[in-house]
């Protein structure tokens, strides 16, 4: 039952890793090192980062935005004084944007999901996929939501899938808050603490590839267990 969902998440995680490897190829308007430093907007650039975080976590079209790098670089530049903005206020804004973004993604999936998945001629969106996603999130929802925050592209689609699968709204909100605080808060603070080290500042892409790999391992283990359980359930009993 979970093979299709697992394959989808596998593909997303693979795409996420590839996007980070190609991070140095980002255009200047998406490259945090260029975009945030010496910005003509001054401290107001923090609000642009807030908008990017919201778009990446809440709008499907924002899946390509480099939220991790933006948070890390913003923290680094605030720590060094290149961005004159209160760190505590920036942390609050980033966390709130991440939480509200995921809630929007959940609502999009919950409202638009039935119309999409109820189409009998749809080859990509099938009703049985909703059942599989629902079963997956009922069992692994909390861990999946929190870990997905640290995986680019995946964090954009997981809230939508949660909404489509009708994950309990209160349960989603609780894990959304935990994940939002953990992701936006920790990544920004990592930028503050580690960004002042010259080697770290020059190798941000490598730092986030490592973070993605560490985050993907538990998700991969859960998917492997789900696949094994699915195969065992499908095997005929003697």
């Amino acid at each position: 039952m979970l093979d299709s969902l697992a394959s989808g998440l596998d593909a997303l995680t693979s795409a996420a890793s590839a996007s980070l490897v190609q991070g140095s190829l980002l255009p200047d308007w998406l490259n945090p090192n260029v975009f945030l430093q010496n910005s003509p907007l001054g401290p107001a650039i923090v609000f642009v980062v807030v908008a990017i975080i919201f778009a990446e976590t809440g709008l499907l079209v924002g899946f390509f935005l480099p939220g991790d790098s933006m948070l890390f670089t913003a923290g680094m530049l605030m720590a060094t004084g290149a961005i004159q903005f209160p760190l505590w206020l920036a942390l609050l804004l980033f966390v709130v944007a991440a939480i509200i973004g995921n809630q929007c993604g959940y609502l999009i999936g919950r409202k638009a999901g039935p119309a999409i998945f109820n189409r009998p001629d749809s080859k990509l969106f099938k009703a049985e996929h909703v059942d599989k996603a629902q079963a997956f999130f009922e069992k692994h929802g909390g861990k999946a939501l929190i870990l997905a925050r640290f995986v680019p592209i995946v964090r954009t689609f997981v809230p939508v899938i949660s909404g489509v699968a009708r994950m309990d709204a209160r349960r989603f909100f609780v894990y959304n808050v935990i994940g939002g605080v953990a992701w936006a808060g920790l990544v920004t603070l990592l930028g503050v603490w580690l960004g002042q080290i010259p080697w770290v500042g020059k190798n941000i892409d490598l730092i986030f590839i490592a973070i993605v790999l560490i985050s993907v391992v538990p998700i991969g283990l859960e998917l492997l267990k789900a696949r094994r359980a699915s195969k065992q359930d499908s095997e005929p009993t003697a």
Side-chain angles (χ1 to χ4, degrees):
M1 288 289 290
L2 297 172
D3 288 345
S4 177
L5 179 63
S7 298
L9 288 176
D10 286 343
L12 286 175
T13 52
S14 297
S17 299
S19 70
L20 280 178
V21 172
Q22 297 172 354
S24 59
L25 300 179
L26 286 172
D28 287 351
W29 61 277
L30 277 180
N31 189 325
N33 287 315
V34 177
F35 178 74
L36 296 179
Q37 295 200 54
N38 301 318
S39 170
L41 296 177
I45 193 67
V46 170
F47 295 99
V48 178
V49 176
V50 169
I52 289 173
I53 298 305
F54 171 78
E56 187 198 11
T57 58
L59 306 177
L60 290 174
V61 294
F63 69 91
F64 64 92
L65 296 171
D68 289 320
S69 300
M70 286 289 178
L71 290 171
F72 188 94
T73 307
M76 177 179 65
L77 295 178
M78 281 186 283
T80 58
I83 295 179
Q84 296 290 332
F85 197 91
L87 177 60
W88 69 268
L89 182 55
L91 284 169
L92 178 62
L93 292 172
F94 295 160
V95 168
V96 170
I99 293 172
I100 295 177
N102 259 23
Q103 285 297 139
C104 287
Y106 175 81
L107 291 175
I108 289 172
R110 197 172 179 91
K111 297 295 184 182
I116 296 174
F117 284 85
N118 286 335
R119 295 177 181 176
D121 58 342
S122 177
K123 296 181 179 180
L124 180 60
F125 302 106
K126 298 183 179 180
E128 58 264 30
H129 293 175
V130 180
D131 297 330
K132 296 171 185 178
Q134 186 172 17
F136 180 83
F137 283 109
E138 283 298 322
K139 187 174 181 180
H140 309 290
K143 289 179 287 185
L145 285 171
I146 293 172
L147 291 172
R149 284 285 195 174
F150 295 88
V151 186
I153 301 177
V154 174
R155 64 171 157 261
T156 302
F157 290 96
V158 162
V160 179
I161 296 173
S162 302
V164 171
R166 298 282 173 172
M167 184 178 181
D168 179 74
R170 289 186 179 182
R171 188 181 182 205
F172 176 85
F173 178 76
V174 169
Y175 287 111
N176 177 24
V177 171
I178 295 172
V181 172
W183 176 61
L186 290 179
V187 172
T188 304
L189 289 176
L190 275 175
V192 172
W193 295 330
L194 300 179
Q196 300 179 62
I197 301 173
W199 184 90
V200 174
K202 295 177 181 178
N203 294 277
I204 292 177
D205 289 343
L206 293 178
I207 298 296
F208 284 106
I209 289 174
I211 292 174
V212 167
L213 292 176
I214 293 171
S215 302
V216 166
V217 167
I219 295 176
L221 292 176
E222 293 295 343
L223 291 175
L224 183 59
K225 290 179 183 178
R227 282 181 172 177
R228 288 178 177 174
S230 178
K231 289 180 179 178
Q232 290 177 355
D233 292 340
S234 62
E235 290 178 356
T237 56

